[in-house]
Amino acid sequence: MAFYLLLIVPHLLALAGLFAFAAMVNPGRGTEEGADGSDGGGGLEPPLDPAPVPPSGGLPLDRAELPARRLRVGENLADLHPPRPRRDHEADPPRIPVRS
């Protein structure tokens, strides 16, 4: 029995804390009309303006930098750059095995 009380009591306290926090943050919410007949909206700030409209303009954006070359269908990025020159192994001196 005490185990269940240890589970239930903290949850009830947390719910009460949430309700108290909600009442502090939004006083006057939850009722459509106040006790004095007002609509509950007196003295509040007017609503904020709607979100600003993003700048008009198509893609690409004005500040965008164009790439040096555009990839077409079937092209790979590696195809745009020449391959690195291979090292000539014949120019190296022959390796002589060494016993240790």
Side-chain angles (χ1 to χ4, degrees):
M1 178 71 176
F3 176 72
Y4 293 113
L5 283 177
L6 287 174
L7 288 176
I8 293 173
V9 170
H11 286 87
L12 291 177
L13 290 174
L15 281 175
L18 285 175
F19 283 122
F21 178 73
M24 282 190 320
V25 171
N26 295 322
R29 288 274 174 124
T31 60
E32 295 204 10
E33 199 169 318
D36 59 349
S38 67
D39 61 355
L44 295 178
E45 297 177 8
L48 299 174
D49 293 334
V53 178
S56 62
L59 292 175
L61 298 175
D62 297 334
R63 297 180 304 215
E65 295 179 14
L66 295 176
R69 175 131 192 269
R70 219 177 146 159
L71 287 178
R72 304 291 178 196
V73 176
E75 285 184 332
N76 292 325
L77 187 61
D79 297 339
L80 298 179
H81 301 286
R84 291 181 11 195
R86 294 187 159 248
R87 219 172 79 183
D88 189 13
H89 291 287
E90 294 174 4
D92 294 339
R95 300 176 77 188
I96 301 172
V98 177
R99 287 192 173 190
S100 26

